[in-house]
């Protein structure tokens, strides 16, 4: 965090709202994320907490009804998004590739894998000679057996796991510095998930790729990533190294979430979390978790908690830790 | 322990467009479920676990094989089953978003089985529905809500209340929480376990989540491409997985703690793809991915071997030199 040159991706105070018939959904509420070069970061949260919206803002592929109200995104030192009072500056980032959740929907069913991959090699990587060779190499990198056959196949001829590898190959073919993986294994079986995660991990180590892995599974995050950001209802509630999050979860939400996960050791089933995520039309004024939190005080309902650094590199947005820490995060001022 | 459901050599084949070619969704499986147990059927997509569940409920008629419920033969479709039997066996589906009629209120949804099985109407119907809502811990103002006004977890609770309405003793739960977030899953599972104790229910729990099964079931059967590859008591399967596929499944689970890490088999790594159920490999269907595969695995179907009391594995590694020719003998031993 000290050296600015080491930052691959920086998201500052990102707020994204969606305009719908009923009003304005205030989804992202001041997100701050930093990813170092070659670092794997997980963004963990439950359905509807804004994980995908965050990634889409980086890629510049937000839906038409999205409203950017504040935020700044830098990729490899280059500004790609800045919202100020008068205008919104936005451009497509270079060197960022995305792997989507559903490989069946991400691939065009009427073109062969080769035709789709060639386009990426030609236009995203800028290769004009030996295009096919580059494409087949990308397939081989993604550990696809018999790459030259797959090059001529249509997506329907491949299994789900292979399609996801093709999507990873396609992301790699663009020679990115950063990979954004949006729940890449949610649609896959557990044995295939294991293979795909190991592949992503190995590739990011070998090619020194920075990666944001969006997932709802803490187990996947722990086994794949160096650092974990826990999201709840459009806010980052806690982040730390994968080790610290599990050793010493601080935020009540993180604690309850970790406790909800059934264990292989067979300790029974925990209570879960009461209630549901807030209505984005009219989100809580203070901490967004306060209505479901057993420790909530009046302060929690009235003002947003800043991020407190409780131990080195371990930040939590919760008033419970107000006294225990003196240093607050520089980006903590959310107002 | 009394056996409540007995499945014997159950087969369910589906015809394909090609004549004579069948998808062997469920291929000769046998298992027993004891009263007030939670029996888990675990497997990945295409393993035939849902087909098994649907055949038990009667949504499919078995191609061959027998299903016994409390010693009554029920191996036929739901349209031929007597009303009393339909009342006894209920099902909760995976996705509450599609298993509840979007144009009906909660009262109508939960009330339907009550009017059919209990002939309830009017005030007594509403009272009974309120009782069911209370059982799944939902407030009474849900009575006139539509499914679209309710969250995913609460919808699943409505589906559970509907299954409970005719007072069944056996409920099939087909991945009841896989469409839900973990924090909500915990609540649903808690409710299900509480209801099981209160109402003395028996569950057939279908899932792909081994960590979940570890915490709720008494016995497990693990399915792969239409076959049960291993079955036995939960704690034994987790402490000492026998079949290579069980080991691969366990080693693939992403876990949270070092203690859990220690439980995962280390010497095996997930490789290969799940073959299509239309074209199941000859011999042992798992040989294409198995690191211990021998010549015999590619040629002969492995026998069922009882390696410990109540623990059956379908693998040549445990057959002690007996080949497929003695398969029938083995089966008789195992299933008698």
């Amino acid at each position: 965090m000290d050296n600015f040159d080491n930052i691959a991706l920086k998201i500052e105070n990102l707020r994204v709202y969606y305009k719908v018939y009923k009003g304005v959904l205030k989804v992202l509420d001041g997100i701050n994320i930093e990813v170092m070069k070659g670092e794997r970061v997980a963004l963990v949260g439950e359905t509807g907490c804004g994980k995908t919206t965050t990634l889409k803002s980086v890629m510049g592929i937000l839906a038409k009804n999205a409203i950017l109200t504040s935020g700044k995104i830098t990729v490899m030192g280059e500004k790609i998004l800045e919202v100020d009072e008068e205008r919104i500056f936005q451009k497509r980032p270079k060197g960022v590739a995305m792997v989507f959740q559903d490989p069946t929907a991400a691939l065009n069913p009427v073109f062969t894998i080769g035709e789709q991959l060639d386009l990426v090699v030609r236009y995203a990587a800028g290769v004009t000679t030996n295009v096919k060779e580059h494409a087949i190499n990308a397939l081989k990198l993604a550990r696809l057996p018999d790459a030259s056959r797959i090059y001529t196949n249509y997506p329907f001829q491949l299994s789900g796991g292979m399609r996801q590898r093709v999507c990873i190959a396609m992301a790699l073919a663009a020679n990115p510095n950063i990979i954004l993986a949006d729940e890449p294994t949610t649609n896959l079986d557990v044995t295939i998930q294991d293979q795909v995660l190991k592949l992503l991990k190995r590739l990011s180590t070998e090619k020194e790729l920075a990666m944001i892995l969006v997932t709802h599974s803490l187990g996947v995050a722990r086994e794949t990533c160096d650092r974990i950001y826990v999201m709840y209802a459009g806010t980052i509630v806690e982040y730390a190294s994968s080790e610290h999050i599990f050793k010493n979860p601080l935020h009540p939400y993180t604690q309850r979430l970790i406790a909800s996960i059934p264990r292989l050791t067979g300790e029974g089933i925990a209570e879960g979390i009461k209630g549901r995520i807030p209505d984005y039309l009219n989100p809580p004024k203070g901490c967004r978790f306060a209505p479901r939190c057993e420790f909530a005080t009046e302060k929690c309902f009235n003002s947003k908690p800043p991020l407190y650094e409780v131990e080195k590199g371990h930040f939590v947005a919760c008033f419970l830790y107000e006294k225990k820490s003196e240093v607050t995060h520089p980006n903590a001022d959310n107002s | 322990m009394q056996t409540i459901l007995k499945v014997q050599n159950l087969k369910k084949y589906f015809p394909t467009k090609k004549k004579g070619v069948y998808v062997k969704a469920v291929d000769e499986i046998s298992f027993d479920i004891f009263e007030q147990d939670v029996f888990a059927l675990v497997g990945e997509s295409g393993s035939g676990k849902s087909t098994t569940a649907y055949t038990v409920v009667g949504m499919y008629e078995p191609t061959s094989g027998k299903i016994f419920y409390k010693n009554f033969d029920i191996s036929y479709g739901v349209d031929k089953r007597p009303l009393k039997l339909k009342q006894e066996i209920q099902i909760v589906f995976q996705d509450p978003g599609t298993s509840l009629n979007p144009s009906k209120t909660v009262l109508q949804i939960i009330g339907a089985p009550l009017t059919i099985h209990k002939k309830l109407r009017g005030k007594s119907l509403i009272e009974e529905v309120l009782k069911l809502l209370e059982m799944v811990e939902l407030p009474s103002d849900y009575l006139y809500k539509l499914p679209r006004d309710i969250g995913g977890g609460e919808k699943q609770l409505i589906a559970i209340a509907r299954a409970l309405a005719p007072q069944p003793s056996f409920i099939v739960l087909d991945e009841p929480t896989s469409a839900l977030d973990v924090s909500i899953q915990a609540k649903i599972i808690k409710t299900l376990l509480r209801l099981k104790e209160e109402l003395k229910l028996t569950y057939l729990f279908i899932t792909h989540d081994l960590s979940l099964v570890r915490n709720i079931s008494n016995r497990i059967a693990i399915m792969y491409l239409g076959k049960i590859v291993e079955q036995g008591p939960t704690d034994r399967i987790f402490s000492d997985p026998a079949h290579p596929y069980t080991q691969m499944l366990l080693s693939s689970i992403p876990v949270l703690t070092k203690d859990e890490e220690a439980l995962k088999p280390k010497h095996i790594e997930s490789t290969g793809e799940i073959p299509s159920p239309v074209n199941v490999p000859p011999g042992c269907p798992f040989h294409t991915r198995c690191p211990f595969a021998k010549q015999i695995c590619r040629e002969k179907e492995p026998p069922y071997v009882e390696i410990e009391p109540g623990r059956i594995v379908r693998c040549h590694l445990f057959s002690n030199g007996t080949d497929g020719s003695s398969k029938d003998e083995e089966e008789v031993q195992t299933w008698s």
Side-chain angles (χ1 to χ4, degrees), chain A residues 10 32 59 121 189 219 221 229 253 255 267 290 308:
Chain A
K10 190 168 182 171
N32 295 297
M59 289 301 276
V121 174
D189 279 313
Y229 283 81
Y253 175 68
Q255 290 168 355
E267 285 129 10
Y308 298 106

Side-chain angles (χ1 to χ4, degrees), chain A residues 46-47 159 162 189-195 198 218-220 222-223 246 257-258 260-273 276 292, chain B residues 44-45 149 151 154 181-183 185-186 189-190 211-212 214-215 238 249 252-257 259-261 263-264 269-274 289:
Chain A
E46 295 182 285
T47 314
S159 67
M162 280 161 102
D189 279 313
V190 55
T191 54
I192 309 296
Q193 159 173 291
D194 190 46
Q195 296 171 23
K198 279 186 179 140
L218 277 165
V220 166
R222 172 180 175 268
E223 298 207 342
F246 292 102
L257 188 65
I258 290 176
S260 309
I261 297 168
R263 303 298 169 85
L264 267 188
T265 37
E267 285 129 10
I269 300 284
E271 268 311 326
I273 307 171
R276 49 168 131 163
R292 297 171 79 180
Chain B
E44 295 181 284
S45 49
D149 305 325
E154 286 160 346
D181 280 318
V182 275
S183 64
Q185 164 176 293
I189 296 292
K190 276 262 161 183
S211 335
L212 178 60
R214 173 74 183 90
N215 291 289
F238 278 89
L249 262 183
S252 304
I253 302 174
V255 294
L256 299 186
T257 59
D259 295 347
E260 288 179 276
E261 203 98 52
L263 284 173
K264 295 188 355 180
E269 198 175 327
S270 166
T271 50
E273 302 268 325
I274 305 164
R289 301 172 71 189

Side-chain angles (χ1 to χ4, degrees), chain B residues 163-217:
Chain B
L164 290 174
Q167 295 183 324
S169 43
F170 183 79
I171 300 184
V172 174
L173 302 161
D174 184 12
E175 307 223 28
T177 57
S178 61
L180 307 170
D181 280 318
V182 275
S183 64
I184 298 162
Q185 164 176 293
K187 170 135 192 1
I188 304 277
I189 296 292
K190 276 262 161 183
T191 309
L192 282 172
L193 293 179
R194 177 175 55 79
L195 290 168
K196 177 187 156 282
E197 291 305 319
E198 280 174 17
L199 307 171
K200 302 203 176 346
L201 299 168
T202 310
Y203 289 152
L204 169 58
F205 199 98
I206 314 279
T207 180
H208 62 266
D209 187 345
L210 272 172
S211 335
L212 178 60
V213 156
R214 173 74 183 90
N215 291 289
I216 59 169
S217 74

